[in-house]
Amino acid sequence: MAGTCFCFDLDGTVTRAELLPMIASEINLEQEMSLLTRLTMDGLIPFEDSFRLRFAILRSAGLERIRSVVAEVEIDPDIAAFIAANRERCFIVTGNLDVWVEPLMQRLGCRFYTSVSQIGANGEVELKHIMRKNVPGLELKERFDRVVVVGDGYNDLPLFDVADVGVAYNGVHASPDALISVADYVTMNGKGLCRLLSTL
Amino acid sequence: MSIVEHAVVAAAGLGSRLGHGKPKCLVDFGGVSVLAHIMSLLKDVPDVRVVVGFMETAVIAELQRVRPDAIVVRNPSFRTTTTLHSYALGAQHLAGDCLFMDADLLIVPETFQAFLDGCRPGEARLALTASKTKDAVYAEMAGQAVTGFRREDPTAFEWSNISWLPVRYFEDIGMTAVYEHLRRYLPMASGEVVSFEIDTAEDLAQAKDNARLFGLTAT
């Protein structure tokens, strides 16, 4: 397939709130989660280690409860409309877990690349594989002439590294300087982002 | 009613001749940044792209406050390139005509709006202002048409660093100043605006003396 494809980070880009802190507040572990998020954002803990810890904290909420929180998260209407109009060439690339974000796969209707879970011997959800975002980035580069990526955090750096065009998104919170320093564009709300994407 | 759909605003430079240690677009006029003033002038232009470089985080933060649907275009090589390069980056992926302007301008709003209203598809047009700045690019005229630019021997009007141009004018650029690049497209139609550039301390003092003209309202 030729042409341009668009990869979106999920949390704080397509969704108007970060999903993991939302789940944490459901089980009264908001402070623990916010400390971990801050340490990750400051680059003190690598994303993979941080995600393992966050998974360990949040799994106690139970799958159904997590999914019901995820199902209710607000989605940016402009980004959702852009994805709906370009479903075959839009992709979500998220470090979040497949079984947790499943309700959003149905709402957005495009392909998701996620971290992967498996069901363990005791029937519980286990972490099988953590997403490294350059992997789907490189895979999509094989299929499309040009890969445009949109993200807001450190874990988007590997995706920006392999992209043709990088857009840092400041719509929910300011992107870290490290991400902005490798971006071609910065947009500050869904309207501006989609206006840009429609000209690329 | 203006047909202007796209505007590219160059805000990447160091502003070293003014010497305030911050981008010129963040200079404050009674609680209003120059960037906020420019964005209020462009409020009816649907697609605004601001090219940033020097102290980009501060410029982005101010832009997020005053025009959150603007598109920020990064020019990481702002130290070694000219405004021409910023214009080319800003207009990348656009087609048709676009308004190009610098972000270190204070402009009487009615005159700016009249310039926008006079823009026509495919008709390149330069905004001129009465000569006043220290390092002016003077316009040589034949009637309403600009036929040449010069740096010495002042004429009545200088180029205001505002123009309405086909995007394709920036497809093939060198390491020159914008007016040098535009020479190949002369003669060009013109319109008059009342504007003040703040390149130097003298320019800034002159603009401050005229601050009441710019319709500045804190937001």
Side-chain angles (χ1 to χ4, degrees):
Chain A
M1 192 185 290
T4 300
C5 76
F6 302 93
C7 299
F8 297 87
D9 172 51
L10 183 65
D11 291 42
T13 299
V14 177
T15 68
R16 282 185 155 171
E18 298 280 342
L19 292 170
L20 300 188
M22 278 175 70
I23 300 164
S25 78
E26 274 286 300
I27 50 174
N28 297 320
L29 289 171
E30 210 170 2
Q31 279 189 323
E32 289 80 353
M33 184 59 66
S34 98
L35 171 67
L36 201 45
T37 303
R38 204 165 58 243
L39 292 172
T40 315
M41 290 303 280
D42 291 343
L44 297 169
I45 305 178
F47 178 78
E48 288 193 21
D49 293 343
S50 166
F51 191 77
R52 275 181 209 290
L53 284 166
R54 288 190 277 184
F55 173 75
I57 292 172
L58 295 179
R59 66 189 297 186
S60 66
L63 189 55
E64 287 318 306
R65 202 159 164 203
I66 290 174
R67 278 186 179 165
S68 73
V69 173
V70 170
E72 280 168 23
V73 71
E74 193 184 348
I75 289 177
D76 185 285
D78 292 299
I79 301 176
F82 183 88
I83 292 173
N86 298 279
R87 230 164 234 150
E88 296 307 312
R89 55 195 191 115
C90 284
F91 303 88
I92 301 294
V93 180
T94 175
N96 218 316
L97 197 60
D98 49 5
V99 287
W100 290 359
V101 298
E102 205 171 30
L104 296 179
M105 294 183 190
Q106 287 148 22
R107 275 171 76 185
L108 289 167
C110 65
R111 164 128 192 236
F112 274 50
Y113 291 93
T114 64
S115 294
V116 178
S117 64
Q118 63 187 10
I119 303 298
N122 56 4
E124 286 199 359
V125 174
E126 289 174 357
L127 199 50
K128 183 180 175 194
H129 171 70
I130 295 176
M131 161 66 65
R132 283 197 69 83
K133 292 195 176 191
N134 55 329
V135 177
L138 289 168
E139 185 187 315
L140 290 167
K141 267 178 93 89
E142 294 288 315
R143 291 175 49 200
F144 290 90
D145 296 329
R146 196 167 61 147
V147 177
V148 176
V149 303
V150 185
D152 70 332
Y154 281 102
N155 71 326
D156 295 311
L157 275 168
L159 189 57
F160 276 55
D161 196 28
V162 299
D164 297 291
V165 180
V167 185
Y169 186 62
N170 281 13
V172 176
H173 58 76
S175 296
D177 289 346
L179 190 69
I180 289 179
S181 75
V182 296
D184 300 290
Y185 296 95
V186 183
T187 57
M188 300 163 292
N189 67 21
K191 198 172 151 218
L193 171 66
C194 294
R195 188 155 31 76
L196 170 64
L197 298 183
S198 65
T199 59
L200 292 177
Chain B
M1 190 58 192
S2 151
I3 59 145
V4 177
E5 289 280 321
H6 309 287
V8 167
V9 180
L14 277 163
S16 49
R17 276 179 294 169
L18 183 61
H20 277 214
K22 63 177 172 184
K24 287 183 285 183
C25 67
L26 297 184
V27 169
D28 182 273
F29 271 69
V32 183
S33 68
V34 178
L35 187 64
H37 167 60
I38 302 268
M39 289 305 126
S40 77
L41 296 171
L42 294 173
K43 63 181 187 307
D44 295 326
V45 177
D47 181 35
V48 174
R49 302 181 177 216
V50 180
V51 186
V52 301
F54 177 55
M55 290 179 67
E56 60 182 344
T57 309
V59 179
I60 291 168
E62 175 65 352
L63 196 58
Q64 182 140 20
R65 198 179 68 78
V66 296
R67 183 75 197 246
D69 74 327
I71 293 167
V72 175
V73 184
R74 296 186 64 249
N75 177 4
S77 56
F78 66 94
R79 290 183 65 195
T80 52
T81 58
T82 67
T83 303
L84 182 60
H85 190 69
S86 286
Y87 282 168
L89 276 175
Q92 212 174 15
H93 310 300
L94 292 179
D97 308 293
C98 178
L99 184 82
F100 293 87
M101 64 190 295
D102 291 357
D104 60 350
L105 300 170
L106 287 127
I107 311 166
V108 175
E110 299 73 27
T111 67
F112 184 77
Q113 189 58 47
F115 182 79
L116 294 187
D117 292 345
C119 293
R120 301 280 175 268
E123 290 178 19
R125 194 155 166 259
L126 301 171
L128 306 178
T129 189
S131 293
K132 60 178 94 55
T133 56
K134 205 160 174 275
D135 294 320
V137 171
Y138 300 109
E140 296 167 353
M141 311 282 295
Q144 290 295 303
V146 177
T147 55
F149 294 119
R150 64 187 193 220
R151 302 304 300 265
E152 308 292 333
D153 194 10
T155 61
F157 289 99
E158 63 177 285
W159 179 40
S160 66
N161 293 318
I162 304 165
S163 47
W164 166 252
L165 301 168
V167 165
R168 63 182 163 77
Y169 281 15
F170 296 96
E171 278 168 8
D172 176 24
I173 60 164
M175 284 295 264
T176 63
V178 180
Y179 77 91
E180 285 168 354
H181 177 75
L182 292 182
R183 271 194 177 123
R184 72 178 78 166
Y185 302 107
L186 296 177
M188 244 185 253
S190 71
E192 189 184 343
V193 297
V194 179
S195 68
F196 293 74
E197 201 180 354
I198 54 165
D199 247 354
T200 64
E202 290 94 318
D203 294 341
L204 180 60
Q206 207 177 166
K208 291 220 159 161
D209 286 344
N210 289 282
R212 69 187 189 293
L213 300 175
F214 306 133
L216 303 167
T217 348
T219 49

